Amino acid sequence: MRGAKSAKWVAGAAVIALAATACGGGDSSDEGKKNTSGQPAGYVSIDVGEPQKPLMPADTNESNGSYVIQSLFTQLLDFDDKGEIVLTNAESVETEDSQTWTVKLKSGWKFHNGEAVTAQSYIDAWNWYANVENKQQNAFWFSDIKGYEDVHPEKGAPKSDKMSGLKAVDDTTFTIELSNKVPYFNYKLGYATFAPLPKVFYDDPKAFGQKPIGNGPYTFEKWTHKKLIQVKAWPEYQGPNKAANKGIQFKNYSTVEAAYSDVISGNLDMIRQVGPRDLPKYKTDLGDGAIDQPYAAIQSLNPAFYSKTFKDIDPKVLQGLSMAIDRDTITKTVLNGTRIPATSFTPPQVKGNQTLDSDILKYNPAKAKELIKAGGGVPGNKFSIQYNADGGHKEWVTAVCESIRNATGVDCVGDAKPDFPTDLEARDNNEVKGFYRGGWVADYPVNVNFLKELYHSKAESNNGRFSDKEIDELMAKGDKADSLEESVAAYQEVEKALVDKMPAIPLWYYAINGGHGKNVDNVKVDFHGDLELTGVTTK
Amino acid sequence: MGRYVARRLLQMIPVFIGSTLLVFLMMYALPGDPVRALAGEQHVDATQIAQIKADLGLDQPIWQQYLNYLGNLFQGDFGTQIGTQRPVAEVIAEAYPITVRLAIFAFVFTVVAGISLGIVAGLKADSLRDRGLLGLTLVLISMPSFVLGFLVQYFFAFQLGIAKPNVSLEPTNTELIMPAIVLASLSLAYVARLTRTSVAENIRADYMRTAIAKGLPRRRVIGVHLMRNSLIPVVTFLGTDIGALMGGAIVTEGIFNIKGVGSLVFEALSKREGATVVGVVTLLVIVYLVCSLLVDLLYAVLDPRIRYA
């Protein structure tokens, strides 16, 4: 407690200073107690900041926007906290050959403006999202559907505004024909991008983005830019995730510390992530309200296979480097217990996660040295790890380097880029000099999402440009499977093969370290680390 | 005098153009593509990025972009944000009022507290109270504002419970007192020290002895004769300080969660929202220019010897 005591002393000095200048903390004593922001009774508040873009389901992939989108829109299906499918707007999503899917909607569903949600609402929306002219960021999510090239050609104007794979059978039934088999396609449908749109959207998409009308558990109330978004529970909602509270306030905070101090003082109900400053004490501060739960996301070191250091590298070297990282100690000390050491290439929350029959992810300095030597060593006996300095990565990058240096004598330096855009640009332009810091959160809870999207030689997010024929073939096998189980099993084989190829060094899984105040209850975390807002109750 | 003001106003034009051009070029030189960065680690196709850039005019050569920007600016159009697709003018208009209020509060506090402390100390240099003031201001100068902000927040909000840790969405005046004091503390220390030195020096000047010898009341000696002469360096500092208070509030605004210009610029910078950054900086430049003009005019009032023809 020495630190706390001395802090009080300095604070005391500051108070004397303020008293000396005849100016105290103001006379807001009675105001201080009541809820300041005019939060209506029965509403819950959470620190979700300003969405990056207007609120359109297919144009949002960052967490602030998607929180709001998910409260306003409901897709065909969703996932429970174990990653199992829960049907929401769909009665059933079925296939016989993994290529043609039949969707039946629950009848009687309506948009917030009273319009019925029909098969056509989905088809029109998906066609609009996929159209290259509408410049939707998540357009590529529709690329499995037959006819995608017509609405979203690589170059030039679209040939059609409809994908031939989408056909309405009747008001509540439609079929989706894919250009190839995708056994896990129904899992993709859980992504918020697949939400339906009401007819008013097409009149003025721009205005809609500021004042969306959805079919979800909440209706839009107001958006005070950079400050607050407020949504109200919708009594007519028929899905399983009906709101247990009266509404939500998404409040914008400039720092996690500011949000945390508001949770402590009762002005905010929930915080998604406690900042490093408050992590050591948040469990004492919040008591039962503290949330510490792992979710489906992984951090890894990805070698740039075009770089001088890792061009034609023997995977043994990478295995050696992996074994030189003391994950247990780093996650416990440097990362304050906020991460869980990785035991495979996929997090435990996804279908098909398995324990690898290999010790490459265990700390073993002796074997590490041996493997690196056997693989011919790291060129120049030195490598770098690229990271963005604005994301709190410096500390663990330094620790990982220290660990590798101590264990193997190979020198390691951090290659800091000032912020995320700069970091991304270096990755896009193949300018990474050694490793880059990779992070991936599940879009859907299947191992495919962590293997194909990252390590297929044509995968767009494969920024290390890992390319291996054998792996691609194994993945193709998984994609041709007739059922999800077969496909997942085939991808498990892919993962086993990756141990000998080392497209990346898995480091640790993420955990959410958030919390809630005394006014709310039943705060749960979903598989990709978002707080589930519909179930939150007020006291 | 009138001609002087007119000349000063004309001088603002090249300063204005030069500074906007500089900021524009600097934003352009920064690595990281703002349109691409919107997608994060996910992939977006190049055609789509190119289209969005073409829509916003970001595909043109830099000089063309700058000319377009200036042209639009003269028609009152500050441009459009890349991510939110909202007009920059609207975004700035939302952030400015609160920062102006905060800056005014901080400025008044600086002037009142800083100058009175300085006089109190300077009138009796090397006394105990003078030493006390020097010590106090030293603490304020050496303490980073995030430390001070955190301590004030910790003490008043969590220990005493007489204030809220953060300001609310529509902050009342009382809520702004705490952040304003934190924001003002650094310049307060400088103002106090400047005043103190100036007063301590002038108090021994010949005209002071004369004034006292004439039998003028003490209040008049200090209030008029001493103050007028001692305030010139202080006014110079205060003039530039207004601009600094408006632009340099990033840390304070962050601690107390004030959605002002500071956080706006910081956010825009990290998202490479060039138009927003240039827009805010443009306004700050105007504030600086107007302030330094006012300072120069005030000189004439304080000391007729420096009056301009």
Side-chain angles (χ1 to χ4, degrees), chain B residues 5-63:
Chain B
V5 174
R7 215 169 62 207
R8 282 296 306 262
L9 287 174
L10 280 179
Q11 275 173 11
M12 284 186 181
I13 297 172
V15 176
F16 176 80
I17 292 181
S19 52
T20 47
L21 178 66
L22 262 182
V23 180
F24 212 87
L25 290 175
M26 283 193 251
M27 283 308 291
Y28 190 78
L30 281 181
D33 178 348
V35 184
R36 163 68 183 90
L38 280 175
E41 298 192 44
Q42 263 187 15
H43 148 87
V44 236
D45 40 313
T47 356
Q48 213 161 299
I49 292 182
Q51 265 197 40
I52 295 175
K53 282 190 170 171
D55 288 353
L56 291 162
L58 295 174
D59 55 340
Q60 290 163 333
I62 175 73
W63 60 269

Side-chain angles (χ1 to χ4, degrees), chain A residues 212-379:
Chain A
I213 296 165
N215 61 336
Y218 294 92
T219 59
F220 178 85
E221 271 194 305
K222 64 173 173 187
W223 183 357
T224 317
H225 281 286
K226 300 218 161 178
K227 287 180 182 162
L228 174 87
I229 296 179
Q230 189 172 311
V231 297
K232 190 169 111 188
W234 191 43
E236 289 168 58
Y237 184 69
Q238 300 173 24
N241 51 336
K242 195 172 165 74
N245 44 56
K246 288 190 177 147
I248 306 169
Q249 286 196 327
F250 300 99
K251 286 168 141 184
N252 188 351
Y253 285 88
S254 12
T255 61
V256 277
E257 285 79 16
Y260 183 78
S261 60
D262 256 12
V263 172
I264 296 299
S265 67
N267 287 329
L268 180 73
D269 292 328
M270 288 170 274
I271 181 169
R272 295 179 293 165
Q273 182 62 46
V274 176
R277 189 192 82 189
D278 301 303
L279 268 179
K281 64 183 177 73
Y282 87 104
K283 282 185 181 162
T284 6
D285 281 354
L286 295 174
D288 296 343
I291 298 171
D292 179 3
Q293 213 172 307
Y295 64 94
I298 192 168
Q299 180 99 261
S300 47
L301 293 181
N302 298 46
F305 288 100
Y306 51 79
S307 66
K308 257 189 213 156
T309 319
F310 293 119
K311 200 167 188 185
D312 305 318
I313 194 87
D314 188 325
K316 279 199 187 103
V317 176
L318 296 171
Q319 288 175 337
L321 291 175
S322 172
M323 295 185 79
I325 301 169
D326 186 355
R327 293 174 179 77
D328 289 326
T329 310
I330 296 174
T331 48
K332 238 174 251 149
T333 56
V334 181
L335 291 165
N336 250 313
T338 60
R339 302 278 186 275
I340 301 106
T343 49
S344 76
F345 287 88
T346 56
Q349 292 81 359
V350 301
K351 239 184 205 348
N353 171 259
Q354 57 188 343
T355 312
L356 292 173
D357 181 27
S358 161
D359 51 3
I360 52 151
L361 297 175
K362 290 201 190 86
Y363 181 57
N364 186 342
K367 190 139 185 245
K369 246 187 245 170
E370 222 172 84
L371 277 167
I372 293 174
K373 208 172 163 199
V378 179

Side-chain angles (χ1 to χ4, degrees), chain B residues 103 107 237-248 284 287-288 291 294:
Chain B
F107 183 72
F237 175 79
L238 285 175
T240 49
D241 196 42
I242 292 186
L245 283 178
M246 295 210 48
L284 284 180
V287 171
Y288 264 106
C291 287
L294 283 178

Side-chain angles (χ1 to χ4, degrees), chain A residues 7-8 10-12 14-15 17-18 21 23-29 31-33 36-37 50-54 59 61 132-133 135-141 152-155 191 206 210 225-228 252-255 258-259 261-262 264-265 267 277 419-422 424-425 427-428 437-440 443 460-461, chain B residues 30-33 36-45 47-48 51-52 55 81-86 90-91 94 109 113 117 136 140 143 148 150-156 158-159 161-172 174-175 177-178 181 188 253-259 263-264 267 269-272:
Chain A
K8 262 185 200 161
V10 184
V15 172
L18 293 172
T21 55
C23 239
D27 53 352
S28 54
S29 51
E31 269 176 73
K33 303 282 188 305
T36 47
S37 52
E50 175 88 351
Q52 206 174 35
K53 294 178 142 194
D59 212 15
N61 72 350
V132 67
E133 283 185 340
K135 290 167 275 193
Q136 296 292 292
Q137 199 168 328
N138 299 335
F140 71 95
W141 275 85
H152 200 117
E154 296 241 327
K155 265 191 189 129
Y191 196 53
K206 211 178 161 190
Q210 298 295 328
H225 281 286
K226 300 218 161 178
K227 287 180 182 162
L228 174 87
N252 188 351
Y253 285 88
S254 12
T255 61
S261 60
D262 256 12
I264 296 299
S265 67
N267 287 329
R277 189 192 82 189
D419 50 24
F420 200 39
T422 321
L424 284 175
E425 184 161 271
R427 294 195 216 171
D428 284 351
R437 168 203 78 81
W440 194 258
D443 297 314
E460 279 95 0
S461 302
Chain B
L30 281 181
D33 178 348
R36 163 68 183 90
L38 280 175
E41 298 192 44
Q42 263 187 15
H43 148 87
V44 236
D45 40 313
T47 356
Q48 213 161 299
Q51 265 197 40
I52 295 175
D55 288 353
Q81 281 203 319
I82 301 164
T84 60
Q85 292 166 31
R86 300 172 61 215
E90 201 182 298
V91 176
E94 273 162 17
F109 182 70
L117 276 179
L136 173 73
L140 287 180
M143 186 156 20
L148 185 66
F150 176 57
L151 287 176
V152 168
Q153 201 179 42
Y154 172 79
F155 211 81
F156 286 105
F158 294 120
Q159 295 304 110
I162 54 171
K164 282 165 287 182
N166 296 317
V167 305
S168 51
L169 291 180
E170 308 298 337
T172 59
T174 30
E175 282 178 334
I177 293 178
M178 204 158 70
I181 291 176
L188 166 86
E253 288 188 359
I255 293 174
F256 296 98
N257 200 42
I258 299 169
K259 299 286 162 201
S263 52
L264 176 67
E267 206 180 292
L269 204 61
S270 58
K271 286 184 183 159
R272 302 289 183 278

Side-chain angles (χ1 to χ4, degrees), chain A residues 113 184 195 310 330 341 454:
Chain A
N113 62 356
Y184 41 86
F310 293 119
I330 296 174
L454 293 174

Side-chain angles (χ1 to χ4, degrees), chain B residues 17-275:
Chain B
I17 292 181
S19 52
T20 47
L21 178 66
L22 262 182
V23 180
F24 212 87
L25 290 175
M26 283 193 251
M27 283 308 291
Y28 190 78
L30 281 181
D33 178 348
V35 184
R36 163 68 183 90
L38 280 175
E41 298 192 44
Q42 263 187 15
H43 148 87
V44 236
D45 40 313
T47 356
Q48 213 161 299
I49 292 182
Q51 265 197 40
I52 295 175
K53 282 190 170 171
D55 288 353
L56 291 162
L58 295 174
D59 55 340
Q60 290 163 333
I62 175 73
W63 60 269
Q64 182 78 49
Q65 283 187 42
Y66 180 68
L67 286 185
N68 288 350
Y69 182 81
L70 269 193
N72 289 336
L73 199 60
F74 282 119
Q75 294 161 33
D77 180 6
F78 277 76
T80 310
Q81 281 203 319
I82 301 164
T84 60
Q85 292 166 31
R86 300 172 61 215
V88 173
E90 201 182 298
V91 176
I92 294 179
E94 273 162 17
Y96 244 85
I98 181 73
T99 299
V100 169
R101 263 170 74 197
L102 185 66
I104 291 175
F105 266 63
F107 183 72
V108 170
F109 182 70
T110 308
V111 171
V112 175
I115 293 183
S116 24
L117 276 179
I119 295 171
V120 168
L123 284 178
K124 268 199 183 164
D126 282 334
S127 64
L128 189 64
R129 69 182 189 205
D130 180 39
R131 296 256 167 73
L133 174 96
L134 286 179
L136 173 73
T137 50
L138 185 70
V139 170
L140 287 180
I141 290 173
S142 51
M143 186 156 20
S145 56
F146 66 89
V147 175
L148 185 66
F150 176 57
L151 287 176
V152 168
Q153 201 179 42
Y154 172 79
F155 211 81
F156 286 105
F158 294 120
Q159 295 304 110
L160 299 178
I162 54 171
K164 282 165 287 182
N166 296 317
V167 305
S168 51
L169 291 180
E170 308 298 337
T172 59
N173 286 338
T174 30
E175 282 178 334
L176 284 180
I177 293 178
M178 204 158 70
I181 291 176
V182 173
L183 179 60
S185 63
L186 183 63
S187 20
L188 166 86
Y190 282 125
V191 168
R193 287 191 154 214
L194 270 175
T195 317
R196 178 219 167 246
T197 312
S198 193
V199 165
E201 228 167 63
N202 286 333
I203 205 161
R204 287 190 291 269
D206 290 341
Y207 65 82
M208 286 296 289
R209 212 178 313 139
T210 314
I212 295 168
K214 274 200 294 191
L216 288 175
R218 189 176 154 78
R219 197 189 304 156
R220 190 164 169 80
V221 175
I222 293 172
V224 178
H225 293 249
L226 179 62
M227 287 320 295
R228 254 178 104 154
N229 288 290
S230 304
L231 278 184
I232 290 176
V234 181
V235 165
T236 318
F237 175 79
L238 285 175
T240 49
D241 196 42
I242 292 186
L245 283 178
M246 295 210 48
I250 299 179
V251 175
T252 317
E253 288 188 359
I255 293 174
F256 296 98
N257 200 42
I258 299 169
K259 299 286 162 201
V261 169
S263 52
L264 176 67
V265 174
F266 181 75
E267 206 180 292
L269 204 61
S270 58
K271 286 184 183 159
R272 302 289 183 278
E273 291 278 5

Side-chain angles (χ1 to χ4, degrees), chain A residues 140-162:
Chain A
F140 71 95
W141 275 85
F142 301 90
S143 59
D144 295 325
I145 300 169
K146 199 173 176 187
Y148 177 75
E149 305 73 42
D150 297 337
V151 295
H152 200 117
E154 296 241 327
K155 265 191 189 129
K159 275 183 251 157
S160 162
D161 56 0
K162 287 191 177 66

Side-chain angles (χ1 to χ4, degrees), chain A residues 166-181:
Chain A
L166 297 177
K167 281 190 192 95
V169 178
D170 56 47
D171 256 7
T172 55
T173 317
F174 67 103
T175 57
I176 311 164
E177 196 187 333
L178 307 178
S179 29
N180 293 301
K181 282 184 179 180

